Amino acid sequence: MKDKVDEIIRGIYHQGKQMPGDLNRKVLKMANEKQKENSGAFDGGNRNNRRMIGFTWQKAAVAAALVAVVLTAGAGGAYAATHYFGIQDFWGKSGSHLSEDARKLIESHPEVTMDASRKNADVLDYEVDSVLCDSKYVTAIVNVNIKNPDKYLLVMDPDEMTSSVSDLGIDENADISISDYCEKKGLIPVRLHLQEKDAKDAEIVSRDVKQLSGTKGVIEVNAKRRSGKQKFQLTIQPLLMLNNSSETHYDPAIEIDVKDHSTEKSAYYVMQDQKNNPIPGTQVTLKEVKLTTTEVGSYLTAHYEEKGVSGDASASWMELCDEDGKPVSFSGMDGGRCYEAGKNEYVSEGCYESIGLPEKIYLSIGDSGEIVELTKQEK
């Protein structure tokens, strides 16, 4: 299991690839919880021994999530009784904090365009509840509703058809699978997946779902921006799978008008007396470290050289922490990734809760246990 988890972490989470659906949110939640649990573990002892949880909690989180990914519906009557779930609720699921300044940037009911001629018009209705955008990421909350509950059952997780129907909060016949329940009740299961249709302005990096009932659900879509436009469209393509068939039905694309009203500030950071020499205890030589901060999050980009590794799957990664090695919490939008930028050259990126632009920041270096102090570079 350890080797498999290592493979998933190295191959997905730190190579710019998308973490599957709700797994991404569960990993972020477990990560932040692990950080809090270890907050007392940095009081003395060998400094190098204090900073070994960075990769460890990610492996533990993925291992747990792999065997525990279930829908978030709760019991209560036939279905979960929750009636609303928004951006702040999704961030709370991962243990991330959305600042007051960030909450002010949330736009409710933005302008949306959908083709009036709906191929599957009798199946689902869509409503874009809200969007949150800054210079790096955009989050959209989409409410979905079954139009004919006597004919269809909404299953928010496309991979849960063999799971117990109790995972949908249904108490009746709770010991049978969702697939068998639909067959017994004569219902057609509707599985929904959202992807970007046009990624020229923003590319989806994670999704999360909340099942509110057998007819209602909420999807959170997080996309990494690829353009610097102040106004742009986030275009989402709904994909429907009906019955147990793998055949995909396309609903018309949802075109969301997004406006970026955030304020971005950036700074470069350097090590004291930084030279083109590896950091002691590692084969890493820092080339450039940039921190960009908005009301929503702080975004780390570290360019470095590392010799003696075979590609980004085995390269070290940089992670923001405090001077004792306690990690800075990831934001609710994304985690981190590492990718190859040239021969022996790598880039490590991280998406964190907003910390501003402090005079000093600290980076942990992969599994080495090394923590380096960097100072904001004078202009």
PDB file of all heavy atoms in Angstrom, residues 132-139 201-203 205 222-228 232 260 262 264-266 290-294 296-301 333-334 349-351:
ATOM      1  N   LEU A 132     -16.044  32.834  -6.980  1.00  0.00           N
ATOM      2  CA  LEU A 132     -14.986  33.557  -6.267  1.00  0.00           C
ATOM      3  C   LEU A 132     -13.756  33.531  -7.149  1.00  0.00           C
ATOM      4  O   LEU A 132     -13.292  32.463  -7.551  1.00  0.00           O
ATOM      5  CB  LEU A 132     -14.689  32.892  -4.922  1.00  0.00           C
ATOM      6  CG  LEU A 132     -13.475  33.425  -4.150  1.00  0.00           C
ATOM      7  CD1 LEU A 132     -13.666  34.887  -3.787  1.00  0.00           C
ATOM      8  CD2 LEU A 132     -13.228  32.590  -2.898  1.00  0.00           C
ATOM      9  N   CYS A 133     -13.227  34.712  -7.439  1.00  0.00           N
ATOM     10  CA  CYS A 133     -12.112  34.782  -8.380  1.00  0.00           C
ATOM     11  C   CYS A 133     -11.020  35.700  -7.841  1.00  0.00           C
ATOM     12  O   CYS A 133     -11.295  36.744  -7.249  1.00  0.00           O
ATOM     13  CB  CYS A 133     -12.612  35.322  -9.731  1.00  0.00           C
ATOM     14  SG  CYS A 133     -11.318  35.519 -10.985  1.00  0.00           S
ATOM     15  N   ASP A 134      -9.780  35.281  -8.020  1.00  0.00           N
ATOM     16  CA  ASP A 134      -8.646  36.184  -7.847  1.00  0.00           C
ATOM     17  C   ASP A 134      -7.733  36.014  -9.046  1.00  0.00           C
ATOM     18  O   ASP A 134      -8.130  35.423 -10.053  1.00  0.00           O
ATOM     19  CB  ASP A 134      -7.936  35.977  -6.500  1.00  0.00           C
ATOM     20  CG  ASP A 134      -7.151  34.676  -6.402  1.00  0.00           C
ATOM     21  OD1 ASP A 134      -7.151  33.887  -7.386  1.00  0.00           O
ATOM     22  OD2 ASP A 134      -6.520  34.437  -5.358  1.00  0.00           O
ATOM     23  N   SER A 135      -6.524  36.529  -8.969  1.00  0.00           N
ATOM     24  CA  SER A 135      -5.645  36.543 -10.135  1.00  0.00           C
ATOM     25  C   SER A 135      -5.113  35.155 -10.499  1.00  0.00           C
ATOM     26  O   SER A 135      -4.562  34.975 -11.588  1.00  0.00           O
ATOM     27  CB  SER A 135      -4.472  37.492  -9.891  1.00  0.00           C
ATOM     28  OG  SER A 135      -3.720  37.069  -8.762  1.00  0.00           O
ATOM     29  N   LYS A 136      -5.277  34.177  -9.622  1.00  0.00           N
ATOM     30  CA  LYS A 136      -4.708  32.850  -9.855  1.00  0.00           C
ATOM     31  C   LYS A 136      -5.755  31.758 -10.055  1.00  0.00           C
ATOM     32  O   LYS A 136      -5.543  30.823 -10.824  1.00  0.00           O
ATOM     33  CB  LYS A 136      -3.807  32.458  -8.680  1.00  0.00           C
ATOM     34  CG  LYS A 136      -2.600  33.375  -8.477  1.00  0.00           C
ATOM     35  CD  LYS A 136      -1.638  33.315  -9.642  1.00  0.00           C
ATOM     36  CE  LYS A 136      -0.387  34.151  -9.371  1.00  0.00           C
ATOM     37  NZ  LYS A 136       0.552  34.131 -10.510  1.00  0.00           N
ATOM     38  N   TYR A 137      -6.878  31.847  -9.347  1.00  0.00           N
ATOM     39  CA  TYR A 137      -7.868  30.773  -9.369  1.00  0.00           C
ATOM     40  C   TYR A 137      -9.277  31.346  -9.435  1.00  0.00           C
ATOM     41  O   TYR A 137      -9.517  32.511  -9.111  1.00  0.00           O
ATOM     42  CB  TYR A 137      -7.752  29.902  -8.109  1.00  0.00           C
ATOM     43  CG  TYR A 137      -6.563  28.973  -8.101  1.00  0.00           C
ATOM     44  CD1 TYR A 137      -5.327  29.412  -7.664  1.00  0.00           C
ATOM     45  CD2 TYR A 137      -6.677  27.653  -8.533  1.00  0.00           C
ATOM     46  CE1 TYR A 137      -4.228  28.570  -7.662  1.00  0.00           C
ATOM     47  CE2 TYR A 137      -5.583  26.803  -8.531  1.00  0.00           C
ATOM     48  CZ  TYR A 137      -4.364  27.262  -8.097  1.00  0.00           C
ATOM     49  OH  TYR A 137      -3.270  26.426  -8.103  1.00  0.00           O
ATOM     50  N   VAL A 138     -10.211  30.491  -9.842  1.00  0.00           N
ATOM     51  CA  VAL A 138     -11.631  30.828  -9.792  1.00  0.00           C
ATOM     52  C   VAL A 138     -12.391  29.599  -9.304  1.00  0.00           C
ATOM     53  O   VAL A 138     -12.095  28.467  -9.705  1.00  0.00           O
ATOM     54  CB  VAL A 138     -12.155  31.300 -11.166  1.00  0.00           C
ATOM     55  CG1 VAL A 138     -11.912  30.260 -12.256  1.00  0.00           C
ATOM     56  CG2 VAL A 138     -13.637  31.642 -11.083  1.00  0.00           C
ATOM     57  N   THR A 139     -13.339  29.837  -8.409  1.00  0.00           N
ATOM     58  CA  THR A 139     -14.204  28.780  -7.889  1.00  0.00           C
ATOM     59  C   THR A 139     -15.637  29.088  -8.272  1.00  0.00           C
ATOM     60  O   THR A 139     -16.091  30.230  -8.140  1.00  0.00           O
ATOM     61  CB  THR A 139     -14.097  28.692  -6.353  1.00  0.00           C
ATOM     62  OG1 THR A 139     -12.802  28.225  -5.990  1.00  0.00           O
ATOM     63  CG2 THR A 139     -15.128  27.721  -5.789  1.00  0.00           C
ATOM     64  N   ASP A 201      -8.792  30.205 -20.743  1.00  0.00           N
ATOM     65  CA  ASP A 201      -8.723  31.192 -19.664  1.00  0.00           C
ATOM     66  C   ASP A 201      -8.581  30.558 -18.289  1.00  0.00           C
ATOM     67  O   ASP A 201      -8.029  31.177 -17.380  1.00  0.00           O
ATOM     68  CB  ASP A 201      -9.966  32.086 -19.674  1.00  0.00           C
ATOM     69  CG  ASP A 201      -9.970  33.045 -20.855  1.00  0.00           C
ATOM     70  OD1 ASP A 201      -8.884  33.553 -21.207  1.00  0.00           O
ATOM     71  OD2 ASP A 201     -11.043  33.283 -21.424  1.00  0.00           O
ATOM     72  N   ALA A 202      -9.102  29.349 -18.100  1.00  0.00           N
ATOM     73  CA  ALA A 202      -9.029  28.685 -16.797  1.00  0.00           C
ATOM     74  C   ALA A 202      -9.142  27.178 -16.991  1.00  0.00           C
ATOM     75  O   ALA A 202      -9.983  26.710 -17.759  1.00  0.00           O
ATOM     76  CB  ALA A 202     -10.133  29.190 -15.877  1.00  0.00           C
ATOM     77  N   GLU A 203      -8.307  26.438 -16.286  1.00  0.00           N
ATOM     78  CA  GLU A 203      -8.268  24.974 -16.392  1.00  0.00           C
ATOM     79  C   GLU A 203      -8.670  24.358 -15.053  1.00  0.00           C
ATOM     80  O   GLU A 203      -8.093  24.668 -14.009  1.00  0.00           O
ATOM     81  CB  GLU A 203      -6.860  24.511 -16.762  1.00  0.00           C
ATOM     82  CG  GLU A 203      -6.721  23.008 -16.854  1.00  0.00           C
ATOM     83  CD  GLU A 203      -5.287  22.589 -17.154  1.00  0.00           C
ATOM     84  OE1 GLU A 203      -4.392  23.452 -17.076  1.00  0.00           O
ATOM     85  OE2 GLU A 203      -5.080  21.402 -17.441  1.00  0.00           O
ATOM     86  N   VAL A 205      -8.845  22.215 -11.942  1.00  0.00           N
ATOM     87  CA  VAL A 205      -7.836  21.431 -11.230  1.00  0.00           C
ATOM     88  C   VAL A 205      -8.446  20.544 -10.154  1.00  0.00           C
ATOM     89  O   VAL A 205      -7.817  19.583  -9.710  1.00  0.00           O
ATOM     90  CB  VAL A 205      -6.750  22.330 -10.594  1.00  0.00           C
ATOM     91  CG1 VAL A 205      -5.942  23.022 -11.668  1.00  0.00           C
ATOM     92  CG2 VAL A 205      -7.364  23.354  -9.640  1.00  0.00           C
ATOM     93  N   ASN A 222     -13.063  24.127  -9.083  1.00  0.00           N
ATOM     94  CA  ASN A 222     -11.917  25.009  -8.888  1.00  0.00           C
ATOM     95  C   ASN A 222     -11.053  24.982 -10.140  1.00  0.00           C
ATOM     96  O   ASN A 222     -10.657  23.906 -10.601  1.00  0.00           O
ATOM     97  CB  ASN A 222     -11.082  24.555  -7.687  1.00  0.00           C
ATOM     98  CG  ASN A 222     -11.834  24.708  -6.378  1.00  0.00           C
ATOM     99  OD1 ASN A 222     -12.344  25.772  -6.078  1.00  0.00           O
ATOM    100  ND2 ASN A 222     -11.919  23.630  -5.607  1.00  0.00           N
ATOM    101  N   ALA A 223     -10.776  26.145 -10.677  1.00  0.00           N
ATOM    102  CA  ALA A 223     -10.003  26.228 -11.913  1.00  0.00           C
ATOM    103  C   ALA A 223      -8.818  27.166 -11.736  1.00  0.00           C
ATOM    104  O   ALA A 223      -8.926  28.219 -11.100  1.00  0.00           O
ATOM    105  CB  ALA A 223     -10.887  26.712 -13.069  1.00  0.00           C
ATOM    106  N   LYS A 224      -7.698  26.769 -12.295  1.00  0.00           N
ATOM    107  CA  LYS A 224      -6.497  27.598 -12.281  1.00  0.00           C
ATOM    108  C   LYS A 224      -6.515  28.496 -13.511  1.00  0.00           C
ATOM    109  O   LYS A 224      -6.664  28.025 -14.642  1.00  0.00           O
ATOM    110  CB  LYS A 224      -5.242  26.724 -12.284  1.00  0.00           C
ATOM    111  CG  LYS A 224      -3.949  27.500 -12.134  1.00  0.00           C
ATOM    112  CD  LYS A 224      -2.748  26.561 -12.039  1.00  0.00           C
ATOM    113  CE  LYS A 224      -1.462  27.341 -11.844  1.00  0.00           C
ATOM    114  NZ  LYS A 224      -0.285  26.452 -11.760  1.00  0.00           N
ATOM    115  N   ARG A 225      -6.351  29.784 -13.278  1.00  0.00           N
ATOM    116  CA  ARG A 225      -6.436  30.735 -14.377  1.00  0.00           C
ATOM    117  C   ARG A 225      -5.218  30.633 -15.297  1.00  0.00           C
ATOM    118  O   ARG A 225      -4.095  30.416 -14.848  1.00  0.00           O
ATOM    119  CB  ARG A 225      -6.581  32.147 -13.842  1.00  0.00           C
ATOM    120  CG  ARG A 225      -7.880  32.363 -13.072  1.00  0.00           C
ATOM    121  CD  ARG A 225      -8.101  33.810 -12.756  1.00  0.00           C
ATOM    122  NE  ARG A 225      -8.089  34.638 -13.977  1.00  0.00           N
ATOM    123  CZ  ARG A 225      -8.157  35.963 -13.969  1.00  0.00           C
ATOM    124  NH1 ARG A 225      -8.219  36.612 -12.819  1.00  0.00           N
ATOM    125  NH2 ARG A 225      -8.131  36.640 -15.104  1.00  0.00           N
ATOM    126  N   ARG A 226      -5.484  30.827 -16.587  1.00  0.00           N
ATOM    127  CA  ARG A 226      -4.417  30.754 -17.582  1.00  0.00           C
ATOM    128  C   ARG A 226      -4.269  32.065 -18.344  1.00  0.00           C
ATOM    129  O   ARG A 226      -3.465  32.153 -19.254  1.00  0.00           O
ATOM    130  CB  ARG A 226      -4.703  29.607 -18.553  1.00  0.00           C
ATOM    131  CG  ARG A 226      -4.833  28.255 -17.865  1.00  0.00           C
ATOM    132  CD  ARG A 226      -5.136  27.135 -18.834  1.00  0.00           C
ATOM    133  NE  ARG A 226      -4.011  26.846 -19.702  1.00  0.00           N
ATOM    134  CZ  ARG A 226      -4.005  25.878 -20.609  1.00  0.00           C
ATOM    135  NH1 ARG A 226      -5.082  25.117 -20.773  1.00  0.00           N
ATOM    136  NH2 ARG A 226      -2.944  25.666 -21.363  1.00  0.00           N
ATOM    137  N   SER A 227      -5.056  33.059 -17.971  1.00  0.00           N
ATOM    138  CA  SER A 227      -4.928  34.374 -18.604  1.00  0.00           C
ATOM    139  C   SER A 227      -5.057  35.439 -17.520  1.00  0.00           C
ATOM    140  O   SER A 227      -5.554  35.176 -16.427  1.00  0.00           O
ATOM    141  CB  SER A 227      -6.009  34.581 -19.678  1.00  0.00           C
ATOM    142  OG  SER A 227      -7.271  34.797 -19.075  1.00  0.00           O
ATOM    143  N   GLY A 228      -4.625  36.628 -17.826  1.00  0.00           N
ATOM    144  CA  GLY A 228      -4.677  37.722 -16.870  1.00  0.00           C
ATOM    145  C   GLY A 228      -5.831  38.676 -17.112  1.00  0.00           C
ATOM    146  O   GLY A 228      -5.812  39.807 -16.612  1.00  0.00           O
ATOM    147  N   PHE A 232     -13.625  37.446 -17.941  1.00  0.00           N
ATOM    148  CA  PHE A 232     -13.497  36.282 -18.810  1.00  0.00           C
ATOM    149  C   PHE A 232     -14.657  35.333 -18.543  1.00  0.00           C
ATOM    150  O   PHE A 232     -15.487  35.570 -17.644  1.00  0.00           O
ATOM    151  CB  PHE A 232     -12.161  35.563 -18.598  1.00  0.00           C
ATOM    152  CG  PHE A 232     -11.977  35.000 -17.209  1.00  0.00           C
ATOM    153  CD1 PHE A 232     -12.242  33.660 -16.948  1.00  0.00           C
ATOM    154  CD2 PHE A 232     -11.532  35.800 -16.165  1.00  0.00           C
ATOM    155  CE1 PHE A 232     -12.079  33.140 -15.682  1.00  0.00           C
ATOM    156  CE2 PHE A 232     -11.352  35.289 -14.892  1.00  0.00           C
ATOM    157  CZ  PHE A 232     -11.628  33.946 -14.645  1.00  0.00           C
ATOM    158  N   ASP A 260     -12.638  39.573 -12.074  1.00  0.00           N
ATOM    159  CA  ASP A 260     -11.583  39.537 -11.061  1.00  0.00           C
ATOM    160  C   ASP A 260     -11.464  40.918 -10.411  1.00  0.00           C
ATOM    161  O   ASP A 260     -10.991  41.864 -11.020  1.00  0.00           O
ATOM    162  CB  ASP A 260     -10.249  39.128 -11.709  1.00  0.00           C
ATOM    163  CG  ASP A 260      -9.081  39.152 -10.722  1.00  0.00           C
ATOM    164  OD1 ASP A 260      -9.339  39.277  -9.505  1.00  0.00           O
ATOM    165  OD2 ASP A 260      -7.934  39.052 -11.171  1.00  0.00           O
ATOM    166  N   SER A 262      -9.926  41.189  -7.379  1.00  0.00           N
ATOM    167  CA  SER A 262      -8.929  40.994  -6.325  1.00  0.00           C
ATOM    168  C   SER A 262      -7.749  41.948  -6.494  1.00  0.00           C
ATOM    169  O   SER A 262      -7.556  42.545  -7.552  1.00  0.00           O
ATOM    170  CB  SER A 262      -8.421  39.548  -6.329  1.00  0.00           C
ATOM    171  OG  SER A 262      -7.660  39.287  -7.500  1.00  0.00           O
ATOM    172  N   GLU A 264      -3.655  41.972  -6.239  1.00  0.00           N
ATOM    173  CA  GLU A 264      -2.488  41.074  -6.220  1.00  0.00           C
ATOM    174  C   GLU A 264      -1.224  41.835  -5.866  1.00  0.00           C
ATOM    175  O   GLU A 264      -0.976  42.923  -6.370  1.00  0.00           O
ATOM    176  CB  GLU A 264      -2.318  40.402  -7.583  1.00  0.00           C
ATOM    177  CG  GLU A 264      -1.078  39.528  -7.676  1.00  0.00           C
ATOM    178  CD  GLU A 264      -0.812  39.029  -9.088  1.00  0.00           C
ATOM    179  OE1 GLU A 264      -1.647  38.267  -9.605  1.00  0.00           O
ATOM    180  OE2 GLU A 264       0.223  39.419  -9.664  1.00  0.00           O
ATOM    181  N   LYS A 265      -0.433  41.236  -4.989  1.00  0.00           N
ATOM    182  CA  LYS A 265       0.887  41.762  -4.659  1.00  0.00           C
ATOM    183  C   LYS A 265       1.879  40.606  -4.683  1.00  0.00           C
ATOM    184  O   LYS A 265       1.548  39.490  -4.314  1.00  0.00           O
ATOM    185  CB  LYS A 265       0.878  42.414  -3.274  1.00  0.00           C
ATOM    186  CG  LYS A 265      -0.038  43.630  -3.163  1.00  0.00           C
ATOM    187  CD  LYS A 265       0.004  44.220  -1.763  1.00  0.00           C
ATOM    188  CE  LYS A 265      -0.912  45.433  -1.654  1.00  0.00           C
ATOM    189  NZ  LYS A 265      -0.889  46.013  -0.277  1.00  0.00           N
ATOM    190  N   SER A 266       3.097  40.901  -5.120  1.00  0.00           N
ATOM    191  CA  SER A 266       4.114  39.854  -5.231  1.00  0.00           C
ATOM    192  C   SER A 266       5.446  40.329  -4.673  1.00  0.00           C
ATOM    193  O   SER A 266       5.718  41.539  -4.632  1.00  0.00           O
ATOM    194  CB  SER A 266       4.300  39.415  -6.686  1.00  0.00           C
ATOM    195  OG  SER A 266       3.114  38.879  -7.223  1.00  0.00           O
ATOM    196  N   LYS A 290       9.232  33.110  -5.561  1.00  0.00           N
ATOM    197  CA  LYS A 290       8.275  34.210  -5.658  1.00  0.00           C
ATOM    198  C   LYS A 290       7.025  33.859  -4.875  1.00  0.00           C
ATOM    199  O   LYS A 290       6.514  32.740  -4.958  1.00  0.00           O
ATOM    200  CB  LYS A 290       7.911  34.477  -7.123  1.00  0.00           C
ATOM    201  CG  LYS A 290       6.945  35.647  -7.329  1.00  0.00           C
ATOM    202  CD  LYS A 290       6.642  35.831  -8.819  1.00  0.00           C
ATOM    203  CE  LYS A 290       5.701  36.994  -9.060  1.00  0.00           C
ATOM    204  NZ  LYS A 290       5.383  37.168 -10.502  1.00  0.00           N
ATOM    205  N   LEU A 291       6.523  34.825  -4.108  1.00  0.00           N
ATOM    206  CA  LEU A 291       5.268  34.660  -3.379  1.00  0.00           C
ATOM    207  C   LEU A 291       4.298  35.725  -3.872  1.00  0.00           C
ATOM    208  O   LEU A 291       4.610  36.921  -3.859  1.00  0.00           O
ATOM    209  CB  LEU A 291       5.491  34.809  -1.871  1.00  0.00           C
ATOM    210  CG  LEU A 291       4.290  34.496  -0.977  1.00  0.00           C
ATOM    211  CD1 LEU A 291       3.900  33.025  -1.100  1.00  0.00           C
ATOM    212  CD2 LEU A 291       4.586  34.845   0.477  1.00  0.00           C
ATOM    213  N   THR A 292       3.148  35.281  -4.335  1.00  0.00           N
ATOM    214  CA  THR A 292       2.087  36.177  -4.792  1.00  0.00           C
ATOM    215  C   THR A 292       0.902  36.042  -3.841  1.00  0.00           C
ATOM    216  O   THR A 292       0.494  34.928  -3.518  1.00  0.00           O
ATOM    217  CB  THR A 292       1.652  35.834  -6.225  1.00  0.00           C
ATOM    218  OG1 THR A 292       2.771  35.976  -7.102  1.00  0.00           O
ATOM    219  CG2 THR A 292       0.534  36.749  -6.691  1.00  0.00           C
ATOM    220  N   THR A 293       0.363  37.153  -3.405  1.00  0.00           N
ATOM    221  CA  THR A 293      -0.705  37.135  -2.408  1.00  0.00           C
ATOM    222  C   THR A 293      -1.892  37.968  -2.868  1.00  0.00           C
ATOM    223  O   THR A 293      -1.735  39.053  -3.432  1.00  0.00           O
ATOM    224  CB  THR A 293      -0.198  37.667  -1.054  1.00  0.00           C
ATOM    225  OG1 THR A 293       0.746  36.751  -0.506  1.00  0.00           O
ATOM    226  CG2 THR A 293      -1.338  37.811  -0.058  1.00  0.00           C
ATOM    227  N   THR A 294      -3.091  37.422  -2.649  1.00  0.00           N
ATOM    228  CA  THR A 294      -4.343  38.152  -2.865  1.00  0.00           C
ATOM    229  C   THR A 294      -5.178  38.020  -1.596  1.00  0.00           C
ATOM    230  O   THR A 294      -4.744  37.416  -0.610  1.00  0.00           O
ATOM    231  CB  THR A 294      -5.127  37.577  -4.060  1.00  0.00           C
ATOM    232  OG1 THR A 294      -5.683  36.300  -3.680  1.00  0.00           O
ATOM    233  CG2 THR A 294      -4.249  37.411  -5.291  1.00  0.00           C
ATOM    234  N   VAL A 296      -7.582  36.139  -1.345  1.00  0.00           N
ATOM    235  CA  VAL A 296      -8.044  34.752  -1.291  1.00  0.00           C
ATOM    236  C   VAL A 296      -6.941  33.788  -0.869  1.00  0.00           C
ATOM    237  O   VAL A 296      -7.175  32.856  -0.098  1.00  0.00           O
ATOM    238  CB  VAL A 296      -8.615  34.327  -2.659  1.00  0.00           C
ATOM    239  CG1 VAL A 296      -9.096  32.881  -2.622  1.00  0.00           C
ATOM    240  CG2 VAL A 296      -9.752  35.253  -3.069  1.00  0.00           C
ATOM    241  N   GLY A 297      -5.733  33.981  -1.380  1.00  0.00           N
ATOM    242  CA  GLY A 297      -4.682  33.014  -1.087  1.00  0.00           C
ATOM    243  C   GLY A 297      -3.290  33.559  -1.326  1.00  0.00           C
ATOM    244  O   GLY A 297      -3.108  34.671  -1.851  1.00  0.00           O
ATOM    245  N   SER A 298      -2.309  32.769  -0.931  1.00  0.00           N
ATOM    246  CA  SER A 298      -0.895  33.065  -1.196  1.00  0.00           C
ATOM    247  C   SER A 298      -0.342  31.937  -2.050  1.00  0.00           C
ATOM    248  O   SER A 298      -0.568  30.757  -1.765  1.00  0.00           O
ATOM    249  CB  SER A 298      -0.107  33.182   0.114  1.00  0.00           C
ATOM    250  OG  SER A 298      -0.485  34.338   0.826  1.00  0.00           O
ATOM    251  N   TYR A 299       0.399  32.292  -3.086  1.00  0.00           N
ATOM    252  CA  TYR A 299       0.810  31.329  -4.102  1.00  0.00           C
ATOM    253  C   TYR A 299       2.334  31.332  -4.233  1.00  0.00           C
ATOM    254  O   TYR A 299       2.932  32.341  -4.572  1.00  0.00           O
ATOM    255  CB  TYR A 299       0.144  31.665  -5.434  1.00  0.00           C
ATOM    256  CG  TYR A 299      -1.357  31.834  -5.285  1.00  0.00           C
ATOM    257  CD1 TYR A 299      -1.934  33.105  -5.209  1.00  0.00           C
ATOM    258  CD2 TYR A 299      -2.189  30.733  -5.172  1.00  0.00           C
ATOM    259  CE1 TYR A 299      -3.290  33.273  -5.039  1.00  0.00           C
ATOM    260  CE2 TYR A 299      -3.569  30.879  -5.011  1.00  0.00           C
ATOM    261  CZ  TYR A 299      -4.110  32.149  -4.943  1.00  0.00           C
ATOM    262  OH  TYR A 299      -5.469  32.308  -4.762  1.00  0.00           O
ATOM    263  N   LEU A 300       2.909  30.192  -3.939  1.00  0.00           N
ATOM    264  CA  LEU A 300       4.360  30.041  -3.970  1.00  0.00           C
ATOM    265  C   LEU A 300       4.803  29.440  -5.296  1.00  0.00           C
ATOM    266  O   LEU A 300       4.225  28.457  -5.772  1.00  0.00           O
ATOM    267  CB  LEU A 300       4.815  29.117  -2.826  1.00  0.00           C
ATOM    268  CG  LEU A 300       6.306  28.781  -2.797  1.00  0.00           C
ATOM    269  CD1 LEU A 300       7.108  29.983  -2.304  1.00  0.00           C
ATOM    270  CD2 LEU A 300       6.555  27.570  -1.900  1.00  0.00           C
ATOM    271  N   THR A 301       5.826  30.042  -5.893  1.00  0.00           N
ATOM    272  CA  THR A 301       6.467  29.473  -7.077  1.00  0.00           C
ATOM    273  C   THR A 301       7.967  29.467  -6.832  1.00  0.00           C
ATOM    274  O   THR A 301       8.587  30.531  -6.694  1.00  0.00           O
ATOM    275  CB  THR A 301       6.159  30.292  -8.342  1.00  0.00           C
ATOM    276  OG1 THR A 301       4.745  30.384  -8.525  1.00  0.00           O
ATOM    277  CG2 THR A 301       6.767  29.625  -9.572  1.00  0.00           C
ATOM    278  N   MET A 333      -8.771  25.895  -2.579  1.00  0.00           N
ATOM    279  CA  MET A 333      -8.866  25.784  -4.029  1.00  0.00           C
ATOM    280  C   MET A 333      -7.973  24.710  -4.616  1.00  0.00           C
ATOM    281  O   MET A 333      -8.339  24.035  -5.575  1.00  0.00           O
ATOM    282  CB  MET A 333      -8.540  27.128  -4.681  1.00  0.00           C
ATOM    283  CG  MET A 333      -9.610  28.185  -4.490  1.00  0.00           C
ATOM    284  SD  MET A 333      -9.174  29.693  -5.373  1.00  0.00           S
ATOM    285  CE  MET A 333     -10.714  30.625  -5.228  1.00  0.00           C
ATOM    286  N   ASP A 334      -6.781  24.552  -4.054  1.00  0.00           N
ATOM    287  CA  ASP A 334      -5.821  23.643  -4.671  1.00  0.00           C
ATOM    288  C   ASP A 334      -4.768  23.298  -3.642  1.00  0.00           C
ATOM    289  O   ASP A 334      -4.738  23.856  -2.538  1.00  0.00           O
ATOM    290  CB  ASP A 334      -5.183  24.313  -5.899  1.00  0.00           C
ATOM    291  CG  ASP A 334      -4.561  23.305  -6.863  1.00  0.00           C
ATOM    292  OD1 ASP A 334      -4.673  22.092  -6.606  1.00  0.00           O
ATOM    293  OD2 ASP A 334      -3.972  23.744  -7.862  1.00  0.00           O
ATOM    294  N   GLU A 349       5.129  24.472  -6.965  1.00  0.00           N
ATOM    295  CA  GLU A 349       4.066  25.450  -6.753  1.00  0.00           C
ATOM    296  C   GLU A 349       3.198  25.024  -5.575  1.00  0.00           C
ATOM    297  O   GLU A 349       2.991  23.837  -5.340  1.00  0.00           O
ATOM    298  CB  GLU A 349       3.185  25.596  -7.999  1.00  0.00           C
ATOM    299  CG  GLU A 349       3.923  26.106  -9.231  1.00  0.00           C
ATOM    300  CD  GLU A 349       3.024  26.190 -10.441  1.00  0.00           C
ATOM    301  OE1 GLU A 349       1.992  25.499 -10.476  1.00  0.00           O
ATOM    302  OE2 GLU A 349       3.360  26.961 -11.363  1.00  0.00           O
ATOM    303  N   GLY A 350       2.669  25.999  -4.856  1.00  0.00           N
ATOM    304  CA  GLY A 350       1.767  25.708  -3.750  1.00  0.00           C
ATOM    305  C   GLY A 350       0.727  26.795  -3.611  1.00  0.00           C
ATOM    306  O   GLY A 350       0.998  27.968  -3.864  1.00  0.00           O
ATOM    307  N   CYS A 351      -0.482  26.391  -3.215  1.00  0.00           N
ATOM    308  CA  CYS A 351      -1.618  27.298  -3.069  1.00  0.00           C
ATOM    309  C   CYS A 351      -2.031  27.286  -1.599  1.00  0.00           C
ATOM    310  O   CYS A 351      -2.525  26.275  -1.097  1.00  0.00           O
ATOM    311  CB  CYS A 351      -2.751  26.817  -3.971  1.00  0.00           C
ATOM    312  SG  CYS A 351      -4.259  27.779  -3.912  1.00  0.00           S
TER     313      CYS A 351
END
